[in-house]
Amino acid sequence: MSAHASTLTPPVSAGQVVFSATDIAKSFGPVAALSGVSIELRAGEVTALMGENGAGKSTLLKIITGDYQPDSGVLSLHGAETRFAEPRESRTSGIRVIAQEPEIIPHVSVAENIFVGLLGASGPVFRRRAVLEQAREALAEFGFAGVIAAETLGSELSAAQRQIVEIMRAVVDRPAVICFDEPTSSLGEEEVEILFRLIRRLRAEGIAIGYVSHRMNEIFQLADAITVLRDGKLVGTKRTEDTDHDDLVRMMVGRDLSQMFHREAIDPGDTVLELAGVSNEFVHDVSLTVAAGEVVGIAGLVGAGRSELLKTIVGDFRVESGTLSMGGTAVRFHTPADSIAAGIGFAPEERKAEALIMHRSVRDNIALAVLKRISRFSFVSSAREDELAEGYIKKLGIRTPSDRQLVKNLSGGNQQKVVLARWLSTTPRLLLLDEPTRGVDVGAKAEIYAIIDELAQQGVAVLVVSSELPEVLGLADRIYVMAGGRVTGVLPRANATEEAILALAMD
Amino acid sequence: MPTPTLSKTPPVVDVVPGTPGVFRRFLTAMGVQNVSLLIAIAFVVLVIGSQNPLFFTVPNLKVIGTAIAISGLLAVVQTLVIIMGALDISVGSIAGLASVTSAMIFTSAGPFIGVVGAVGIGLLCGLLNGCIIVFGRVNPVIATLATLAAYKGIAQLISDGRAQGYTGADPFFVFLARGSVLGIPTLIWILVVIALGVHVLLRYTTMGRNIYAVGGNDVASRLAGININRYILGIYMMTGAVAALAGILITARTGSGQPVSGSEGLELEAITAAALGGAALKGGKGTIAGTILAVILLGILTNGMTLLGVNSFWQNVAKGGLLVLAVVLQQLRSGERRIGLPG
């Protein structure tokens, strides 16, 4: 296993084009996913790829890796035209893509996870100690020494640590090109910093970096050039210094989105949810209130216990001590079904794993929590179900050919709207949203913010967990900050700043 | 309800331009899977029919129908279990146990109590399967693998391993085995009624929806308020009851209660039919129509090969080959990434 010795990268000078895709077209049946798209990745530069969900970013990435074959257009690597029949070929040519949701083998160590494709290269005997040592060195070299231990089992890793393992898998190979697909969507601010340091390092070493992200401030921190796609077409490529936030948003959505948040604080109504000293395995002595018409944010680093708190509220985890009250009465939810009956809707963090039935239709997914209401004598009324689904497809602007489309074929933003539709159809008193805009493009984000605002105006109590500080600051009337399973502080909208939140989050 | 101010008009994606043709509408309504099965059935019928004119006679069609009734019943409920994301390997043993007990109870208490008692025992067996899975947290395959052995053992114990009772002279059992209603054999009617019932359950009721949801994503189902444990218990009890019904039919057809012969291996036939019919073992996918078409295909294949004088060892090879071919074609069509262990 000579991971550190491989030299896939021929010497190139900074700024030289390492990889390019020119005039790429790709259709799925009658739907053109990409047409006339070009991108260049240069040595020692970060090229950002931006666009709304459905703009074609993922398709383009999959063409770069050889997952898909372009219908027309040319790929070239180090100046020579090339063609990848399958992902393995792009990897051996020195192109790596960091998956957004990395696959981690649960019952083996971080070290084995990192070197998973290379084990066996040094002979049939697996030398555990040598692999661990190598992993430790690699982690230290790339600045992750204190963040993740080589012995840790895959199943014990947080989302952020899984991401780090995925990145390590790529960098130990010393590739010529690395593409990141929304790498920060599962990371807290602290891990994002570590990641950025790493990316800058890779850039300094002359690697050509592609970077897909929805987060504007990241793009401006990292990117040297920005390529924007819209509806499968190339809008343009600009040097970062020649553009700004508003310009990019206009390029992406074709209109001005200067007003992402238009939250007007209204007088909160009666308290809907009250936690007093709630504790269990995951959270400790948590007290908080959410009133009707109020949007309350929960901020904190990854692993602070925010998602666990929401799952405790809905009855998926047990409340071991303390009380949980709805509308002033103490309640005890034994299962999520109990909390749904009490008027709580919950959109969990992991959309695909915890919310959606991917192989079923948009319609089935929307109706899942209200089947009883739209059926008579247990028979589901197809007409009422269609009416429900069509109604929400229109109201929330879910982009789908029909309500019979399978959810797995929708983009992330539209999938998230399907989850929202499911809970809105239960007409909840309290809505719990865990990272509601993760992996969602700017346009859909603004739409989701508008939905949250409108719900609050109508008197719904909303509790939002988010790792994106601007999002919490823009949305919430009050912000609870969590660290280590405890609430470390609460900030009213007027006093809330990124600095104040971070200070409490690192408590 | 919210009306997002920034919502855009969705792009018009016209997948099928103009009015869809008759063929395409037929395809969508039937599902590609079922159409392929129909084509396979037509092919087999044509080949066998052209070789042996006996194949198309009414008596032979009745033979096919009654031959598939028992395994068809088990295939239908197995499909239900598979859609929920589980498996029940113990159905053959439950059928054997029910066959023995129905005959033994019949001998002392008459046909009606015999049937009710056997179905009751099937329900109990299913309940025990469900409890082991739900409360013991045992993987369904392992749990029912264990009860496959245990139930078979119980059937052998209480019967001392021998056929029990004689039902061959009882008019009710004779009606089940050889009677007919409106010219169609009772056995076929029973399969049709159970299959239709389960089809309606899956397709049109909240329970059916929830079964697909549990099989498709159990975490999401729990968070959406579905009581998963209740579904597991209910489906296994239903499977136990239908397996018991199959056992009663075995008793009726052979004229006595059979602890093992007649029921052994039925669980694998049921899984074969469900898989051939398009049910995905990881759950969330499958239809009763597909399973029934697969049962028919397997039935005419067996009958036809027998008529053509094909050695029964070769028949097994042919059935195995057919299953592999069908699933390979399914997987090629599904467009899933072709890496690792397939689902």
Side-chain angles (χ1 to χ4, degrees), chain B residues 95-108:
Chain B
L97 182 57
S99 174
V100 173
T101 46
S102 66
M104 291 172 77
I105 301 173
F106 159 78
T107 313
S108 56

Side-chain angles (χ1 to χ4, degrees), chain A residues 63-79:
Chain A
I63 283 174
I64 293 176
T65 57
D67 272 297
Y68 293 157
Q69 306 303 314
D71 297 337
S72 66
V74 177
L75 303 182
S76 61
L77 183 64
H78 303 305

Side-chain angles (χ1 to χ4, degrees), chain A residues 360 363-364 367 371-372 374-385 404, chain B residues 29 80 83 195-212 231 286-289:
Chain A
R360 304 292 290 176
R363 186 176 83 133
D364 285 10
L371 278 179
K372 271 198 195 117
I374 56 166
S375 58
R376 281 187 72 182
F377 311 116
S378 288
F379 282 83
V380 181
S381 155
S382 194
R384 287 162 77 180
E385 193 179 16
R404 310 296 164 104
Chain B
L80 202 55
I83 289 173
L196 264 182
V198 175
H199 172 75
V200 168
L201 174 90
L202 273 176
R203 192 76 183 262
Y204 300 105
T205 69
T206 54
M207 284 162 284
R209 284 302 180 69
N210 289 345
I211 290 164
Y212 278 110
Y231 274 90
T287 59
I288 296 302

Side-chain angles (χ1 to χ4, degrees), chain A residues 86-406:
Chain A
E86 54 162 347
R88 197 201 314 244
E89 292 183 13
S90 72
R91 284 174 69 133
T92 49
S93 309
I95 297 178
R96 298 293 289 248
V97 170
I98 310 297
Q100 197 177 350
E101 281 158 25
E103 301 292 341
I104 299 295
I105 307 162
H107 302 297
V108 307
S109 68
V110 162
E112 287 156 82
N113 264 299
I114 290 175
F115 292 111
V116 65
L118 303 169
L119 297 175
S122 60
V125 181
F126 170 58
R127 292 182 322 215
R128 185 178 157 77
R129 209 173 311 158
V131 172
L132 279 175
E133 192 46 48
Q134 220 162 357
R136 252 180 240 122
E137 277 171 23
L139 284 167
E141 186 191 346
F142 291 99
F144 293 128
V147 188
I148 184 169
E151 300 82 0
T152 315
L153 290 185
S155 55
E156 291 165 6
L157 299 177
S158 67
Q161 290 170 323
R162 290 208 295 266
Q163 189 78 47
I164 290 171
V165 169
E166 172 76 1
I167 293 168
M168 291 304 298
R169 281 174 180 167
V171 296
V172 295
D173 244 5
R174 309 281 155 162
V177 176
I178 301 185
C179 295
F180 292 86
D181 189 2
E182 295 183 46
T184 57
S185 60
S186 59
L187 305 189
E189 304 270 340
E190 205 177 353
E191 289 107 348
V192 169
E193 266 317 305
I194 298 172
L195 175 70
F196 283 7
R197 275 208 302 277
L198 173 69
I199 292 178
R200 291 196 184 101
R201 242 193 90 140
L202 297 171
R203 168 166 64 186
E205 287 181 13
I207 293 173
I209 294 167
Y211 189 90
V212 176
S213 175
H214 292 116
R215 299 189 181 175
M216 207 63 84
N217 61 339
E218 289 177 2
I219 301 289
F220 283 103
Q221 281 184 55
L222 278 179
D224 301 292
I226 301 165
T227 294
V228 179
L229 301 185
R230 182 168 74 222
D231 298 332
K233 297 190 179 65
L234 180 70
V235 180
T237 298
K238 290 194 173 179
R239 302 298 298 178
T240 308
E241 57 271 20
D242 300 336
T243 183
D244 60 23
H245 178 281
D246 294 344
D247 183 36
L248 278 182
V249 172
R250 264 194 303 277
M251 286 171 79
M252 273 193 288
V253 300
R255 60 182 142 53
D256 215 325
L257 263 189
S258 56
Q259 196 74 50
M260 284 275 274
F261 303 99
H262 26 124
R263 177 111 188 90
E264 290 161 32
I266 55 165
D267 285 338
D270 298 335
T271 299
V272 173
L273 174 77
E274 179 166 11
L275 302 187
V278 166
S279 300
N280 61 18
E281 194 184 332
F282 309 102
V283 296
H284 311 289
D285 195 24
V286 171
S287 299
L288 61 78
T289 60
V290 190
E294 196 182 24
V295 178
V296 172
I298 302 182
L301 302 178
V302 169
R306 298 168 302 166
S307 302
E308 289 79 1
L309 177 63
L310 294 194
K311 286 190 173 168
T312 304
I313 294 173
V314 299
D316 203 30
F317 294 143
R318 191 189 298 271
V319 175
E320 268 150 26
S321 66
T323 53
L324 191 161
S325 320
M326 286 284 289
T329 352
V331 285
R332 190 160 265 275
F333 301 137
H334 298 284
T335 64
D338 294 342
S339 66
I340 295 168
I344 299 181
F346 170 45
E349 180 181 13
E350 306 274 347
R351 220 168 21 234
K352 289 179 191 169
E354 302 182 330
L356 292 167
I357 323 283
M358 300 298 278
H359 285 289
R360 304 292 290 176
S361 65
V362 169
R363 186 176 83 133
D364 285 10
N365 272 282
I366 291 177
L368 189 64
V370 292
L371 278 179
K372 271 198 195 117
R373 205 184 72 208
I374 56 166
S375 58
R376 281 187 72 182
F377 311 116
S378 288
F379 282 83
V380 181
S381 155
S382 194
R384 287 162 77 180
E385 193 179 16
D386 274 336
E387 194 187 333
L388 178 84
E390 295 292 352
Y392 279 107
I393 287 172
K394 216 171 283 164
K395 268 180 208 156
L396 306 190
I398 300 173
R399 263 152 271 165
T400 171
S402 91
D403 66 347
R404 310 296 164 104
Q405 175 71 280
L406 302 187

Side-chain angles (χ1 to χ4, degrees), chain B residues 91-320:
Chain B
V91 287
S93 293
I94 297 177
L97 182 57
S99 174
V100 173
T101 46
S102 66
M104 291 172 77
I105 301 173
F106 159 78
T107 313
S108 56
F112 180 71
I113 306 289
V115 167
V116 172
V119 170
I121 283 169
L123 283 171
L124 271 180
C125 290
L127 180 64
L128 182 61
N129 281 342
C131 286
I132 294 172
I133 294 163
V134 167
F135 302 112
R137 310 303 311 155
V138 179
N139 175 294
V141 176
I142 306 296
T144 55
L145 197 58
T147 55
L148 165 84
Y151 296 155
K152 182 160 66 173
I154 294 172
Q156 288 165 322
L157 275 176
I158 59 174
S159 65
D160 204 18
R162 288 193 295 267
Q164 294 293 315
Y166 178 65
T167 60
D170 180 80
F172 179 69
F173 278 99
V174 169
F175 168 73
L176 283 184
R178 286 187 290 281
S180 63
V181 178
L182 303 174
I184 295 171
T186 319
L187 282 169
I188 299 180
W189 277 113
I190 293 175
L191 175 60
V192 167
V193 168
I194 298 281
L196 264 182
V198 175
H199 172 75
V200 168
L201 174 90
L202 273 176
R203 192 76 183 262
Y204 300 105
T205 69
T206 54
M207 284 162 284
R209 284 302 180 69
N210 289 345
I211 290 164
Y212 278 110
V214 170
N217 187 338
D218 55 347
V219 178
S221 302
R222 188 182 72 234
L223 290 176
I226 297 172
N227 186 336
I228 296 178
N229 289 352
R230 195 191 294 165
Y231 274 90
I232 297 174
L233 291 174
I235 297 283
Y236 272 95
M237 285 175 74
M238 197 164 146
T239 306
V242 173
L245 181 60
I248 293 163
L249 297 180
I250 290 170
T251 303
R253 280 184 43 112
T254 58
S256 56
Q258 305 290 339
V260 176
S261 74
S263 55
E264 200 165 37
L266 281 182
E267 59 281 338
L268 296 184
E269 275 183 42
I271 297 169
T272 306
L276 193 56
L281 284 187
K282 64 184 165 189
K285 268 190 198 165
T287 59
I288 296 302
T291 299
I292 287 294
L293 286 175
V295 166
I296 292 173
L297 177 59
L298 290 169
I300 57 174
L301 204 60
T302 309
N303 175 274
M305 287 191 293
T306 309
L307 280 183
L308 298 184
V310 177
N311 172 326
S312 73
F313 303 155
W314 278 113
Q315 293 189 17
N316 283 335
V317 175
K319 280 190 218 168

Side-chain angles (χ1 to χ4, degrees), chain A residues 16 20 150 170 197 370 432 490:
Chain A
Q16 193 177 328
S20 70
R197 275 208 302 277
V370 292
L432 310 181
V490 52

Side-chain angles (χ1 to χ4, degrees), chain B residues 30 38-39 47 66 127 159 175 235 241 270 276-277 324:
Chain B
M30 291 287 300
L38 275 177
I39 293 171
V47 169
T66 50
L127 180 64
S159 65
F175 168 73
I235 297 283
L276 193 56
V324 169

